[in-house]
Amino acid sequence: AQTVTQSQPEMSVQEAETVTLSCTYDTSESDYYLFWYKQPPSRQMILVIRQEAYKQQNATENRFSVNFQKAAKSFSLKISDSQLGDAAMYFCAYRSGGDQFYFGTGTSLTVIP
Amino acid sequence: GAVVSQHPSRVICKSGTSVKIECRSLDFQATTMFWYRQFPKQSLMLMATSNEGSKATYEQGVEKDKFLINHASLTLSTLTVTSAHPEDSSFYICSARRQRPYNEQFFGPGTRLTVL
């Protein structure tokens, strides 16, 4: 079974600064997708960024970018110019070939004004 | 983006009763939907894969007789928690897969179940 590990239960960042959230995963599949989701207090899952495993280029989405290291099975999220609205729970997720999502345990991000 | 709804958003029931939660894809057809549960301050755990017109596939450790899943149409999947007990209290989230224009999934807003 696929496992996703987020080793940082909590992180904090000063507003306008940069923060990196870590994620590692374990799989024997060669074709998969990786995601970062944000879950604010409303509990609605919001897609932040996605990465196809076959693409070597790291995905970017405005202030959000990833560092995808396939051989190391590492997939970290960098948030630049952090804003108060970025405060939330962040989940790293692996999507298998069967389309099931497997989530990490989450990182609670606090943005300090 | 595509919209997935869940109903109800909150439900409180007595122990021993059954509760049905609906997951609908509002503007696309979803042959596959997924059900997750999330305990407070914990991650989402995949419970089952719901396939339109066929039996659901349950993850290891999930009681299929306890959590009945029906996917009778291309836009609706239901999760019924049978004979609910307090330990079934949780946040239940569904996702729906849209295959065109490309394979993508969208999450519903979740249903909070409280069993007294």
Side-chain angles (χ1 to χ4, degrees):
Chain A
Q2 288 75 20
T3 58
V4 180
T5 302
Q6 292 178 250
S7 58
Q8 307 154 317
E10 297 178 345
M11 291 283 283
S12 61
V13 62
Q14 290 282 148
E15 194 175 3
E17 296 295 309
T18 296
V19 64
T20 298
L21 309 184
S22 301
C23 174
T24 58
Y25 60 95
D26 189 25
T27 184
S28 58
E29 296 180 334
S30 59
D31 184 21
Y32 53 89
Y33 291 79
L34 296 166
F35 299 78
W36 280 96
Y37 278 90
K38 169 183 176 181
Q39 189 181 44
S42 68
R43 308 294 288 275
Q44 173 74 58
M45 298 292 282
I46 300 169
L47 176 64
V48 175
I49 199 165
R50 60 180 275 168
Q51 173 82 42
E52 292 89 339
Y54 64 84
K55 288 187 177 178
Q56 293 186 334
Q57 187 174 8
N58 290 323
T60 63
E61 196 71 42
N62 299 317
R63 298 183 294 107
F64 301 88
S65 62
V66 298
N67 183 2
F68 174 45
Q69 302 289 327
K70 190 172 184 179
K73 297 180 181 176
S74 170
F75 182 62
S76 61
L77 173 70
K78 185 171 80 172
I79 306 174
S80 304
D81 185 26
S82 297
Q83 301 175 359
L84 295 178
D86 295 334
M89 197 74 173
Y90 286 81
F91 290 100
C92 176
Y94 171 103
R95 196 179 85 193
S96 68
D99 286 336
Q100 292 91 347
F101 272 91
Y102 297 93
F103 289 88
T105 49
T107 297
S108 178
L109 179 65
T110 300
V111 181
I112 303 167
Chain B
V3 179
V4 175
S5 71
Q6 283 185 238
H7 178 80
S9 58
R10 291 175 179 265
V11 57
I12 301 173
C13 69
K14 292 183 178 180
S15 186
T17 61
S18 294
V19 174
K20 181 184 286 187
I21 302 170
E22 294 183 347
C23 177
R24 291 182 185 273
S25 55
L26 298 185
D27 50 1
F28 66 98
Q29 293 184 333
T31 55
T32 305
M33 295 184 177
F34 303 88
W35 286 96
Y36 301 83
R37 72 185 292 183
Q38 184 180 29
F39 290 107
K41 299 189 178 182
Q42 294 190 25
S43 185
L44 283 74
M45 298 297 293
L46 177 66
M47 297 175 66
T49 302
S50 170
N51 300 297
E52 188 267 335
S54 64
K55 290 183 178 180
T57 304
Y58 291 82
E59 294 296 298
Q60 192 172 8
V62 177
E63 300 175 60
K64 53 187 70 176
D65 294 331
K66 174 77 169 173
F67 299 99
L68 300 180
I69 292 173
N70 184 281
H71 194 155
S73 79
L74 289 172
T75 59
L76 174 64
S77 175
T78 59
L79 169 68
T80 301
V81 183
T82 63
S83 186
H85 291 283
E87 57 265 30
D88 299 324
S89 298
S90 188
F91 194 68
Y92 293 86
I93 301 176
C94 73
S95 71
R97 184 177 72 182
R98 183 185 71 181
Q99 293 186 279
R100 294 180 180 82
Y102 55 86
N103 192 350
E104 192 65 67
Q105 281 190 44
F106 301 90
F107 286 86
T111 296
R112 177 170 300 285
L113 170 64
T114 303
V115 184
L116 303 177

